[in-house]
């Protein structure tokens, strides 16, 4: 499958998973085991296992209305298209720097020497394991947290600007 | 000093065998090790979310479900580590510094956890589903595609947690002042997820779908499509001023 088709189908699939027909009671754990087609739309009956038909129909109607709203909003221009310099990568460091102005400039993975990354890492791990400051040591060894296309695990959300920044104990 | 992420034993237990040669082994290794780190290090996000849901009065079954998501992230880290090993690397890496989940003490517990669910589930994990699914669809049948499918199955649940929360609390979220405040939050959260994705999806690598190396430019395009064609419309359908928040994210 080519990338354009894959992207289109992924977009359609992710749209389905955001559509919720029921409450919080069921859905995630059972659904998570569906490896064959994890992006398939959940069955309404799986989301509404203990409601009477009237409630189910009302929920379906609400969902349909919600979908109509989605379709309507999707047709609106909610944003300008991302500029080419973002898509081609010539801008990201400036945006990344906005996130943490004290951060060191990110390294472009495409330009990094990856001829022996594991040897380098092993050296870094071995050297740093006995050190007093792991993070500083790894930084000195050139560990690049941002290399590659790996934006999976959710980042920690930010605090709300202007509010106390207390974190969970 | 943080202990390193050492998933060597866990990766061995989930051994993956890859066939063929990647176009750029170092690039593939860097990608999968980065994923190993990101997935494993994100487990505390769900552990904290579970605690916040408990504080907000969520059902114990939901709290337990979200606590299990932390284990899923650690399992994903081990799976990615197994790919690292299959590529000839070691499933060990320095642990990145991660802040704890913000407590948002200025607002009540429901609004606080709703903020974090919006950011983690409705934004980050929904985008992750699109990225992983596109990659899975491009990958040839085989062990790597199976790994992607296994991770994706859990990520779908993580994304849906947020959307289910919004649906379950529609009445409460209809309060105009709360909607407006969550709109302000969304502007901040959109700016944050955009910066994160752009930092992690870097054009320039040689795409190698058979070994999980995506095209950074394509992935960025999919990120924007997911936000603008799925997330913003769906949040809007839930009554949140998401389009306005997205348009003013740069000022947040």
């Amino acid at each position: 499958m080519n990338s354009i088709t894959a992207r289109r189908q992924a977009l359609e699939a992710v749209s389905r998973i955001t559509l919720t027909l029921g409450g919080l009671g069921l859905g995630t754990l059972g659904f998570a085991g569906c490896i064959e087609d994890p992006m398939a739309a959940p069955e309404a009956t799986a989301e509404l296992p203990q409601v009477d038909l009237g409630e189910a129909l009302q929920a379906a109607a609400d969902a349909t209305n919600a979908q109509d709203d989605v379709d309507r909003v999707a047709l609106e221009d909610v944003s300008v298209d991302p500029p080419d310099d973002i898509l081609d990568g010539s801008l990201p460091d400036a945006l990344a720097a906005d996130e943490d102005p004290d951060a060191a400039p990110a390294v472009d993975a495409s330009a990094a020497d990856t001829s022996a990354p594991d040897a380098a890492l092993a050296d870094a791990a071995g050297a740093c394991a006995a050190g007093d400051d792991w993070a500083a040591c790894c930084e000195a060894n050139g560990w690049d947290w941002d290399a590659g296309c790996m934006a999976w695990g959710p980042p920690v959300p930010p605090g709300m600007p202007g509010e106390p920044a207390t974190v969970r104990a | 000093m943080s202990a390193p992420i050492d998933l060597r034993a866990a990766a061995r237990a989930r051994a993956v065998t890859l066939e063929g040669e990647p176009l750029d082994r170092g690039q593939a290794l860097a990608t999968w090790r980065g994923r190993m780190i990101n997935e494993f290090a994100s487990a505390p996000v769900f552990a904290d979310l579970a605690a916040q849901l408990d504080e907000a009065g969520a059902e114990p079954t939901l709290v337990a479900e979200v606590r299990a998501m932390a284990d899923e992230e650690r399992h994903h880290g081990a799976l990615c580590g197994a790919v690292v090993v299959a590529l000839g690397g070691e499933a060990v890496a320095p642990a990145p510094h991660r802040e704890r989940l913000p407590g948002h003490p200025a607002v009540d517990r429901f609004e606080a956890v709703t903020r974090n669910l919006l950011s983690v589930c409705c934004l980050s994990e929904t985008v992750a589903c699109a990225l992983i699914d596109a990659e899975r669809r491009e990958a040839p049948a085989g062990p790597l595609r199976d790994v992607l499918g296994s991770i994706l199955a859990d990520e779908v649940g993580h994304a849906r947690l947020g959307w289910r929360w919004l649906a379950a609390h529609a009445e409460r979220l209809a309060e105009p002042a709360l909607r407006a405040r969550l709109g302000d939050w969304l502007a901040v959260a959109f700016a944050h997820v955009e910066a994160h994705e752009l930092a992690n999806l870097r054009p320039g690598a040689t795409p190698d779908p058979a070994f999980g190396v995506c095209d950074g430019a394509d992935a960025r395009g999919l990120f924007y499509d997911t936000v603008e064609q799925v997330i913003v419309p769906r949040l809007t359908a839930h009554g949140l001023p998401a389009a306005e928040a997205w348009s003013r994210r740069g000022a947040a």
Side-chain angles (χ1 to χ4, degrees):
Chain A
M1 179 181 293
N2 67 40
S3 62
I4 294 174
T5 304
R7 279 178 52 183
R8 180 178 52 76
Q9 291 186 357
L11 204 57
E12 292 169 355
V14 83
S15 179
R16 288 197 299 274
I17 70 166
T18 62
L19 181 60
T20 49
L21 299 179
L24 285 160
L26 286 178
T28 299
L29 288 179
F31 190 59
C34 180
I35 292 175
E36 283 303 309
D37 189 4
M39 299 293 272
E43 294 292 334
T45 50
E47 290 285 332
L48 298 165
Q50 294 177 338
V51 296
D52 64 33
L53 184 59
E55 289 173 332
L57 289 173
Q58 184 58 50
D62 292 344
T64 301
N65 292 337
Q67 183 61 55
D68 289 342
D69 290 342
V70 169
D71 292 341
R72 175 177 51 76
V73 175
L75 293 173
E76 297 173 2
D77 184 14
V78 298
S79 166
V80 295
D81 289 335
D84 289 342
D85 53 359
I86 288 181
L87 294 179
D88 70 15
S90 55
L91 193 61
D93 287 351
L95 290 168
D98 288 343
E99 187 181 17
D100 181 1
D102 296 324
V107 176
D108 184 345
S110 64
D113 177 11
T114 56
S115 57
D118 274 75
L121 179 68
D123 290 343
C128 295
D132 292 328
D133 188 338
W134 176 268
C137 179
C138 294
E139 187 175 345
N141 278 280
W143 178 258
D144 176 18
W145 303 109
D146 294 331
C149 48
M150 56 189 76
W152 287 6
V156 176
M160 185 69 169
E163 290 183 1
T166 305
V167 298
R168 279 196 48 75
Chain B
M1 176 173 114
S2 300
I5 295 173
D6 186 348
L7 296 173
R8 286 174 288 192
R12 276 196 301 272
R14 296 163 173 79
V16 171
T17 302
L18 301 178
E19 293 183 358
E21 276 293 312
L23 296 175
D24 183 331
R25 183 170 296 273
Q27 185 176 272
L29 269 168
T31 296
W32 283 96
R33 185 179 289 106
R35 290 170 174 175
M36 178 187 82
I37 295 166
N38 276 351
E39 290 292 286
F40 189 86
S42 67
V45 169
F46 286 98
D48 284 351
L49 259 181
Q52 290 189 351
L53 283 164
D54 188 37
E55 291 171 359
E59 291 292 324
T61 52
L62 179 69
V63 174
E65 184 182 327
V66 176
R67 198 171 288 123
M69 292 177 184
D71 292 334
E72 290 169 357
E73 294 291 2
R74 283 186 278 267
H75 173 60
H76 298 169
L79 279 173
C80 295
V83 178
V84 169
V85 172
L87 288 165
E90 269 200 290
V92 60
H97 173 71
R98 289 279 194 276
E99 299 292 338
R100 302 300 296 268
L101 203 64
H104 303 297
V107 297
D108 69 33
R109 294 305 79 201
F110 172 80
E111 186 171 344
V113 78
T114 300
R115 283 181 178 181
N116 287 333
L117 287 165
L118 282 167
S119 178
V120 171
C121 303
C122 299
L123 303 189
S124 294
E125 295 291 67
T126 300
V127 168
C129 285
L131 295 173
I132 297 170
D133 189 44
E135 190 171 309
R136 181 183 68 111
R137 290 173 189 275
E138 273 199 87
L144 206 60
R145 185 184 165 110
D146 294 343
V147 167
L148 291 168
S150 176
I151 293 173
L152 176 61
D154 291 336
E155 300 292 1
V156 167
H158 302 177
R160 284 180 51 75
L161 169 67
W163 300 106
R164 289 161 60 205
W165 180 262
L166 296 182
H169 296 285
E171 190 173 336
R172 192 164 180 177
L173 291 167
E175 202 260 307
L178 175 58
R179 284 184 170 182
R181 290 196 303 274
L182 289 174
D184 292 339
W185 164 253
L186 277 172
V188 174
F190 276 133
H192 182 259
V193 74
E194 183 180 40
H196 173 79
E197 298 295 340
L198 294 182
N200 280 268
L201 302 172
R202 292 178 172 267
T206 305
D208 191 358
F211 285 88
V213 180
C214 66
D215 183 309
D218 276 357
R220 287 182 173 197
L222 181 56
F223 160 69
Y224 283 105
D225 285 348
T226 302
V227 171
E228 295 180 357
Q229 296 179 34
V230 176
I231 293 173
V232 167
R234 196 71 80 198
L235 289 173
T236 303
H238 281 287
L240 298 173
E244 182 201 0
W246 175 243
S247 67
R248 62 187 172 93
R249 67 193 184 282

